[in-house]
Amino acid sequence: MNGAAIAALSKAGVAVEVVEETGSTNADLLARAARLNAPLLLVAREQTAGRGRAGRSWLSSSEGSLTFSLAWFFEGGLPRLTGLPLAIGVALAETLEGLGVQVGLKWPNDVLRDGDKLAGILIETQAAPGGALWAVIGIGLNLVIPDELEARIGRSVASLPWLARMDREALLAALLDGLAGALREFERAGFPAFAARWNRRHAWQGETVMILDGGAVLHEGSAAGVDDAGRLLLDTSEGRIAVLAGDVSLRVKGA
Ligand code: ATP
């Protein structure tokens, strides 16, 4: 796998680097953000300390997973990023659909296939001068997951054996094109341009779900999609509420 080849196959106009092995592509790009002057895609053949939200880990294998991060510059501060993880989910879903794979989205930041997690998205930020910031968008995508890795993850996960047969450079170029296109649209129009597209793919629409915070149930209700700020709408016994992502987790009740 070669960065220049991926960049040449892509139409995004984004530089691409490939490293053999690293701890976390997100950590690497965050450490380099102050020195970047253009978007950069960093792909690791093997990621040994992949991160999820709130210190959770993302596990992968060099043969069966894609692990990469895209650094993207945003004028304006954090409020500009409202809904970005969900917009990235839409971008991944639309790109995979273009390759013949239907997926669902789970609030706030997971891509599901047949109910199991296929990809994780972790966005971290680094302040830049003048109130601007770098968003580092990390993605782990399962292509083939060996039983041993699934056992270590400790839950059933989804994979894409069909796409695993596709040339990796072409697959990464397609993902980069989808992400860069979505990011440019997000810069112009924000999450409202993505809300209906997210809701069309909402995997848990109408399910009775619980919002958990560190194991405690904060809310329970019927999942009714997201609003234009990317908040999850829940129809509870006290009426409709809108939940901010923060560090809460979502579970189907009784699952
Ligand atoms: P949750 O899925 O528990 O609600 P989350 O969506 O915030 O939490 P992330 O932080 O995005 O989860 O991802 C980390 C979690 O994903 C880990 O705690 C683990 O359960 C799961 N995980 C780790 N590696 C993989 C993988 N390769 N495929 C699918 N799931 C994984």
Side-chain angles (χ1 to χ4, degrees):
M1 204 163 28
N2 170 301
I6 296 168
L9 289 167
S10 149
K11 299 173 203 70
V14 171
V16 183
E17 289 181 16
V18 177
V19 293
E20 201 54 43
E21 182 184 316
T22 191
S24 152
T25 53
N26 258 34
D28 292 349
L29 284 184
L30 284 171
R32 287 171 63 181
R35 284 171 281 128
L36 292 179
N37 48 28
L40 176 64
L41 180 77
L42 178 63
V43 182
R45 280 171 174 280
E46 177 140 25
Q47 183 172 251
T48 54
R51 312 203 285 221
R53 295 191 305 150
R56 293 187 277 269
S57 35
W58 184 264
L59 303 182
S60 54
S61 75
S62 56
E63 314 76 44
S65 314
L66 292 183
T67 47
F68 56 94
S69 299
L70 175 59
W72 200 266
F73 185 77
F74 280 89
E75 301 285 355
L78 273 179
R80 287 289 307 276
L81 303 195
T82 303
L84 182 61
L86 288 83
I88 296 298
V90 171
L92 286 180
E94 291 178 346
T95 304
L96 292 172
E97 285 161 16
L99 298 169
V101 180
Q102 298 300 315
V103 297
L105 297 173
K106 179 199 156 198
W107 186 88
N109 64 339
D110 291 338
V111 179
L112 306 184
R113 182 160 161 73
D114 300 328
D116 289 326
K117 183 139 70 168
L118 175 69
I121 299 164
L122 178 70
I123 301 185
E124 297 176 283
T125 57
Q126 173 85 54
L133 52 82
W134 283 94
V136 174
I137 300 154
I139 294 171
L141 176 67
N142 300 331
L143 296 176
V144 182
I145 293 292
D147 292 346
E148 169 274 326
L149 185 61
E150 188 162 17
R152 276 204 287 139
I153 296 167
R155 52 157 101 167
S156 148
V157 304
S159 57
L160 287 174
W162 173 250
L163 280 196
R165 291 162 35 183
M166 186 176 163
D167 173 61
R168 293 290 155 94
E169 290 171 343
L171 181 51
L172 281 159
L175 290 163
L176 174 57
D177 287 350
L179 290 168
L183 281 158
R184 289 181 177 125
E185 186 179 2
F186 187 88
E187 282 172 341
R188 281 196 311 276
F191 186 67
F194 293 84
R197 288 144 74 187
W198 197 95
N199 283 325
R200 267 204 296 284
R201 300 175 174 85
H202 183 199
W204 289 4
Q205 184 70 19
E207 300 272 355
T208 302
V209 299
M210 299 180 303
I211 300 285
L212 302 179
D213 186 1
V217 179
L218 285 187
H219 304 287
E220 188 182 310
S222 168
V226 296
D227 65 11
D228 275 356
R231 297 178 302 179
L232 179 72
L233 299 172
L234 264 193
D235 289 326
T236 73
S237 52
E238 275 104 56
R240 175 164 286 192
I241 61 168
V243 185
L244 274 172
D247 181 40
V248 293
S249 295
L250 183 63
R251 292 283 177 277
V252 170
K253 198 178 177 204

